[in-house]
Amino acid sequence: MSKQGTVRDNKKVSGELFTLTYGALVSQLLKDYESDDEVNKQLEKMGYNIGVRLIEDFLARSNVGRCHDLKETADVIAKNGFKMFLGITPQVTSWNAMGDEFSLIFDSNPLAEFVELPDGHSNLWYSSILAGVIKGALEMVQMEVEAAFVQDVLRGDSITEMRVKFLKKLEDAVPVGED
Ligand code: MYR
């Protein structure tokens, strides 16, 4: 096998392993918590904790500077953030009139490949962890947002869509002992 083939195969295997690992995490949460709502919350919380850490890595590895408006931020999230960590580029679309809310449409979702939702879990938002990642990462650049999936092909919707709403600009935190 060529070296290039091996690299591609390894990437595919680690992608599959990633999908399976995430599936195992969701399955475990479904056992541990009584309601889908609670599982959604847990996934979001985990994502938030990942996001607050991942942003540092993102800013260090990308050449992205400060964004001037939410449109720029949305593009950076889709074209740089998702590309860097998941190898996908969701479409940025459906801006509201105020320009403070947009959608990310996922044509592919590495977390959910070959996944079927188990019966009886119609309130589960399988990929909620990603909404949490966005919230956590943006909070670290002083932006409070709401983020949630509003459509998911796993639930029978025609597309997978995350809605992101800018809430407010956060003040820079004052380091402990310096206020
Ligand atoms: C700024 O204005 O300071 C730059 C804002 C950049 C925000 C980038 C957020 C990256 C989120 C990564 C999402 C990855 C999901 C797997």
Side-chain angles (χ1 to χ4, degrees), residues 31-42:
K31 286 187 192 131
D32 293 348
Y33 291 90
E34 294 202 339
S35 72
D36 290 349
D37 285 348
E38 198 50 44
V39 173
N40 297 336
K41 272 191 207 138
Q42 292 301 322

Side-chain angles (χ1 to χ4, degrees), residues 51-66:
V52 296
R53 287 166 179 79
L54 159 152
I55 186 74
E56 206 179 311
D57 188 38
F58 172 77
L59 293 173
R61 287 167 58 198
S62 67
N63 280 327
V64 167
R66 292 313 305 241

Side-chain angles (χ1 to χ4, degrees), residues 50-120:
I50 292 170
V52 296
R53 287 166 179 79
L54 159 152
I55 186 74
E56 206 179 311
D57 188 38
F58 172 77
L59 293 173
R61 287 167 58 198
S62 67
N63 280 327
V64 167
R66 292 313 305 241
C67 296
H68 299 105
D69 55 31
L70 190 61
K71 288 216 156 55
E72 207 181 317
T73 307
D75 277 346
V76 165
I77 292 170
K79 293 182 188 151
N80 302 74
F82 274 94
K83 186 73 187 165
M84 182 182 289
F85 294 106
L86 287 181
I88 56 170
T89 306
Q91 293 168 50
V92 180
T93 179
S94 306
W95 283 93
N96 68 346
M98 293 269 292
D100 63 356
E101 203 175 323
F102 63 89
S103 290
L104 294 172
I105 308 291
F106 295 81
D107 295 329
S108 67
N109 176 2
L111 293 183
E113 268 174 48
F114 318 114
V115 169
E116 278 181 30
L117 290 191
D119 286 341

Side-chain angles (χ1 to χ4, degrees), residues 22-47 117-118 121 123-129:
Y22 184 68
L25 168 71
V26 177
S27 299
Q28 189 59 47
L29 290 174
L30 287 171
K31 286 187 192 131
D32 293 348
Y33 291 90
E34 294 202 339
S35 72
D36 290 349
D37 285 348
E38 198 50 44
V39 173
N40 297 336
K41 272 191 207 138
Q42 292 301 322
L43 287 170
E44 202 186 303
K45 207 185 283 183
M46 287 177 186
L117 290 191
H121 291 287
N123 285 327
L124 178 66
W125 289 102
Y126 188 82
S127 305
S128 297
I129 198 164

Side-chain angles (χ1 to χ4, degrees), residues 1-11:
M1 187 187 295
S2 72
K3 194 168 177 207
Q4 202 181 18
T6 312
V7 170
R8 205 176 11 248
D9 289 349
N10 284 348
K11 266 192 177 171

